Amino acid sequence: MITISEAAQAHFRKLLEKQPEGTNIRVFVVNPGTPNAECGVSYCPPDAVDPDDQHLPFSGFDTLIDPLSAPFLEEASIDFVTDQMGSQLTLKAPNAKMRKVSDDAPLVERIEYVLLSEVNPMLAGHGGKVTLTELTEDGFAILQFGGGCNGCSMVDYTLKEGIEKQLLEKFPGELKGVKDATEHQRGDHSYY
């Protein structure tokens, strides 16, 4: 379910040395399955353990996960990276905003999952996002851009060379292409 690198495990062990005996680590998702989902890591003292929590044993500590967060932490990873800027704990949870869908789920659900878990995190760096508004009968995904993408001069390139290529590669034979439903004129609705 969650991968914790050796460096992150060592970091947690060091932090836990200063905590009361029996304290473990809790990994959780606030607002799971929504665009506002946020992942977190906290201490979990013995009196905060719930009988329904999942216990994942690691070297020197357990990681506890509540039942509501668990499906959204599939394929999550925690690492501790040190570079010239210092050290940083990173938690990546590609399924936090939307529960992973099965390979045989309807195409519309699989497209939405890819947009939320892979495409939007890349667009978020520019303040943008994209949503699926319709899947046409003839196999075209109609997308609506928002935020920083609205009014951006690179939106056509992003749509055709980025998003469309990625979706066609993931859904060959099922999807014919993507189209943009967004009106990209700058105005009061634009983010810039």
Side-chain angles (χ1 to χ4, degrees):
M1 169 182 285
I2 295 180
T3 304
I4 301 179
S5 72
E6 288 297 326
Q9 288 183 51
H11 178 68
F12 287 142
R13 281 192 297 274
K14 187 175 179 181
L15 292 173
L16 288 167
E17 286 175 2
K18 300 173 183 136
Q19 298 301 311
E21 191 171 328
T23 300
N24 286 295
I25 298 294
R26 178 174 295 284
V27 181
F28 57 91
V29 182
V30 178
N31 300 316
T34 71
N36 301 322
E38 293 288 332
C39 297
V41 178
S42 67
Y43 294 118
C44 184
D47 62 350
V49 176
D50 189 276
D52 294 332
D53 284 339
Q54 287 186 30
H55 294 252
L56 303 176
F58 288 93
S59 178
F61 64 93
D62 282 358
T63 297
L64 289 97
I65 301 167
D66 66 89
L68 185 61
S69 296
F72 300 95
L73 289 170
E74 288 292 325
E75 301 177 9
S77 63
I78 300 175
D79 196 6
F80 187 69
V81 181
T82 302
D83 59 21
Q84 58 269 44
M85 300 299 287
S87 299
Q88 180 177 337
L89 191 66
T90 61
L91 193 160
K92 294 180 182 171
N95 301 307
K97 295 182 187 306
M98 184 176 184
R99 175 185 243 153
K100 186 170 183 179
V101 297
S102 65
D103 292 340
D104 61 353
L107 181 59
V108 68
E109 289 179 23
R110 290 181 283 140
I111 291 171
E112 286 174 338
Y113 175 76
V114 171
L115 293 177
L116 278 173
S117 65
E118 297 178 30
V119 175
N120 280 340
M122 290 187 298
L123 296 177
H126 301 280
K129 66 177 185 174
V130 66
T131 54
L132 178 68
T133 60
E134 179 186 359
L135 181 60
T136 66
E137 286 185 24
D138 58 348
F140 283 89
I142 310 300
L143 304 179
Q144 178 79 38
F145 284 90
C149 294
N150 198 356
C152 175
S153 62
M154 294 297 292
V155 76
D156 289 335
Y157 182 82
T158 300
L159 180 72
K160 290 296 180 183
E161 295 301 315
I163 298 169
E164 184 174 62
K165 278 187 175 181
Q166 186 174 358
L167 290 176
L168 288 174
E169 188 177 291
K170 287 197 178 287
F171 309 113
E174 294 182 90
L175 187 66
K176 290 188 180 162
V178 297
K179 294 182 181 178
D180 186 2
T182 313
E183 181 183 325
H184 286 286
Q185 296 175 351
R186 289 181 87 111
D188 293 338
H189 62 283
S190 297
Y191 171 85
Y192 54 100

